[in-house]
């Protein structure tokens, strides 16, 4: 642990709430303390309301906010006097607690207060910090965990046995704190949950957290159980895994009832963990803290027997649901983490963000497991405690409030020629509808243009079979399979009459526009067959197919050949539930093939100005890359669910085509 406090940075945060924001972000910067919405912070502030009355307000982290990026608006202001009255009640249902917290906020637009709001209110300190520190959890999850924690923290820290978050935890903490705290007390450990620090200033509370967690680190280090730097990435066979990966993803999607992404985690820690011989012992106990169960489920799937996992989850549910106070409906049984010696460690989810979050959490779980094993022995909480959290009404409410999923949620699109023009716009259109995208282009800009988890940009010369093989391999490892293929890469040579055409240039055009795309279709077909909602292909043809112009023989012939291939693919692949449609754009001038030189040459050929040439269609409109891209995405969506083999002009109307 190392304090990240900076006097220069801190000067930018002058108010008490701003200081709370600053030190919350410092905690959030260290993922060994909090991950993806984990942890809580608060500050108690005296404010004057609109009628001139002073009132004590608890500003507590709002549900759904991440500490690393939290702003003042991310804290919910709740009236302290009411919270302290609530803490004295003998009982309070979850629904009533949520209602009381929400109705006692002083700002109507504030986020929902944390479920630990009452706990924060009862601690008699201005600033309160709470994290799920890896080091503390590593020691908690051992057979002698509570004894070790008491030895480390006994003098100045209150120790609370595991209790599920909510009102009961707040009430017990208030009682134990009142009985055990003294003038030396600077923190509190909730076994198998996390650690608190508190103080009268933001800096002191933050730095107490650093000091407290450092004690657990030092304890682990004393037995060589802290540093994990010696983990080496195993030397695994580099054979293709894309078909087994895609088949497994298809099976997982069937269980989930909707498309899922399946992401292979290639880091050294995950790869090494996947090859361990003791996984049936250390990976089949439970999460590092029950808070993680909503993201990771109680257990990962070992191997690739999805049916067996679903049956085991049904038994887990039946066993614990029978003891529940209210009837429960079983959640989806699809695993969130999969560990297999052949496929490695993979995470599952409906979006790239979700699989990334699961991967982050499980990677830290691995570190906690390994440290606990190095200390003595990994021992997670009993499954009934995990089940109680997984089926806690308040946690389920978070999932229900997540909103409607985008159209292409959990699906994967591959777009060629993605660095510019129609290809780039098509990537954006797919992303806007929730897809993950494999973006290919010979231009290296494809790597840097989208800096987000749901885009894999790869430099790829589509004329090279080995490059296509590698791109598909990487794409499937990243996202799990392929649902939509946008065949867009192409070249348009300058105008040449047949008598002037160089045959080397002719062959180069055919190689890109037809040969490479034919090869890609062949490689993609086995993956598209496994698409949970059926495969979709969009071929980028051209107006020149129906209405060629002089001087464009190579381009027109190649696009005509590609269109014919699309028609045949629509016939051959319909039985595999793959639909294939072709778009025929014309004069889309914000694309790579329309250089100033080509544009001027074509305008001169027709004896018009460049501006006249741009709008030489019946509707006198300019067709843009975005116009085409929107139709690309829509043709992959439900609107075109019963259409295959179509050829659609996107040209503003052309009398020769019509």
């Amino acid at each position: 642990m190392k304090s990240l406090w900076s006097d220069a940075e801190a000067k930018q945060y002058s108010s008490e709430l701003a200081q709370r924001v600053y030190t919350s972000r410092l905690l959030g910067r260290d993922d060994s303390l909090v991950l993806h919405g984990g942890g809580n912070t608060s500050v108690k502030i005296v404010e004057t309301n609109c009628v001139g009355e002073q009132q004590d307000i608890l500003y507590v982290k709002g549900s759904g906010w991440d500490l690393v990026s939290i702003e003042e608006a991310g804290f919910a202001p709740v009236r302290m006097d009411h919270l302290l009255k609530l803490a004295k009640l003998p009982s309070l249902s979850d629904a009533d607690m949520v209602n009381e917290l929400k109705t006692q906020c002083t700002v109507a637009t504030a986020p929902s207060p944390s479920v630990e709001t009452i706990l924060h209110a009862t601690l008699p300190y201005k600033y309160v910090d709470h994290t799920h520190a890896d080091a503390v959890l590593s020691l908690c999850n051992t057979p002698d965990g509570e004894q070790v924690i008491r030895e480390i923290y006994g003098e100045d820290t209150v120790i609370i046995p595991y209790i599920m978050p909510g009102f009961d935890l707040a009430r017990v903490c208030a009682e134990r704190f009142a009985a055990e705290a003294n003038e030396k007390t600077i923190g509190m450990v909730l076994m198998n949950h996390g650690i608190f620090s508190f103080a009268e200033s933001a800096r002191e509370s933050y730095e107490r957290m650093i000091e407290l967690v450092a004690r657990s680190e030092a304890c682990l280090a004393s037995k060589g159980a802290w540093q994990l730097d010696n983990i080496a990435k195993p030397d695994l066979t580099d054979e293709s895994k894309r078909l087994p990966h895609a088949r497994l993803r298809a099976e997982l999607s069937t269980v989930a009832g909707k498309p899922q992404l399946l992401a292979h985690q290639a880091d050294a820690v995950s790869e090494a963990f996947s090859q361990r011989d003791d996984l049936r012992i250390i990976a089949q106990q439970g999460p590092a803290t029950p808070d993680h169960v909503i993201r990771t489920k109680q257990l990962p799937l070992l191997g690739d027997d999805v049916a067996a996992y679903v049956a085991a989850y049904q038994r887990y549910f039946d066993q614990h649901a029978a003891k529940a106070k209210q009837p429960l409906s079983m959640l989806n049984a699809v695993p969130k983490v999969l560990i297999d010696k052949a496929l490695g460690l993979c995470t599952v989810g409906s979006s790239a963000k979700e699989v990334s979050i699961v991967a982050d959490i499980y990677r830290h779980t691995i570190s906690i497991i390994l440290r606990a094993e190095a200390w003595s022995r990994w021992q997670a909480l009993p499954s009934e405690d995990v089940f109680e959290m997984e089926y806690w009404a308040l946690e389920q409410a978070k999932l229900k409030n997540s909103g409607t999923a985008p159209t292409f949620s959990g699906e994967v699109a591959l777009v060629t020629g993605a660095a510019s023009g129609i290809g780039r716009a098509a990537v954006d259109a797919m992303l806007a509808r929730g897809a993950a995208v494999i973006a290919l282009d010979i231009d290296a800009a494809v790597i840097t243009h989208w800096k987000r988890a749901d885009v894999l940009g790869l430099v790829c010369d589509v004329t090279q079979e080995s490059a296509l093989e590698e791109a598909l391999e990487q794409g499937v490892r990243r996202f799990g399979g392929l649902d939509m293929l946008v065949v867009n890469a192409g070249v348009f040579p300058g105008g040449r009459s047949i008598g002037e055409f160089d045959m080397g240039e002719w062959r180069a055009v055919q190689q890109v526009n037809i040969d490479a795309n034919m090869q890609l279709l062949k490689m993609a077909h086995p993956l598209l067959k496994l698409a949970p909602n059926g495969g979709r292909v969009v071929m980028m043809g051209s107006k020149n197919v129906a209405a060629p112009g002089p001087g464009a023989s190579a381009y027109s012939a190649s696009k005509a050949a590609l269109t014919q291939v699309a028609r045949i693919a629509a016939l051959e692949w319909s039985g595999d539930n793959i639909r294939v449609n072709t778009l025929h754009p014309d004069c889309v001038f914000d694309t790579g093939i329309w250089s100033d030189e080509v544009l001027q040459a074509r305008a001169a050929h027709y004896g018009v100005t460049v501006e006249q040439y741009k709008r030489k269609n019946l509707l006198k409109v300019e067709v843009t890359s975005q116009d085409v891209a929107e139709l690309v995405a829509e043709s992959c969506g439900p609107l075109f669910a019963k259409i295959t083999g179509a050829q659609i002009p996107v040209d503003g109307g052309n009398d020769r085509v019509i």
Side-chain angles (χ1 to χ4, degrees), residues 16 120 164 166 173 218 234 296 298 449 539 551 553 610 615 627 650:
E16 293 172 325
H120 279 246
M164 198 180 86
C173 286
T296 66
Q298 184 211 7
H449 182 71
M539 305 285 261
S553 56
V610 169
R615 297 173 181 270
D627 296 329
V650 194

Side-chain angles (χ1 to χ4, degrees), residues 253-271:
S253 298
T254 299
V255 172
K258 58 185 179 181
Q260 299 287 286
L261 301 182
L262 177 66
H264 172 244
Q265 305 303 319
D267 60 283
V269 171
S270 298
E271 289 279 43

Side-chain angles (χ1 to χ4, degrees), residues 29 60 71 87 151 184 187 207 291 304 328 405 419 447 455 473 518 568 588 614 626 656:
R29 288 183 198 176
V60 64
E71 302 170 359
E151 290 172 358
K184 294 182 180 179
E207 293 193 332
D291 294 62
D304 60 0
L328 298 174
I447 297 176
V455 179
E473 193 71 29
M518 183 68 177
I568 295 168
V588 184
K614 284 184 177 182
Q626 184 177 354
R656 295 174 62 212

Side-chain angles (χ1 to χ4, degrees), residues 476-503:
V476 173
R477 291 194 185 199
R478 176 72 167 265
F479 298 127
L482 183 62
D483 302 273
M484 298 168 280
L485 175 62
V486 181
V487 180
N488 171 68
V491 293
F492 186 99
R496 304 279 193 281
S497 67
I498 292 175
E500 297 173 338
F501 222 101
D502 176 79
M503 292 309 295

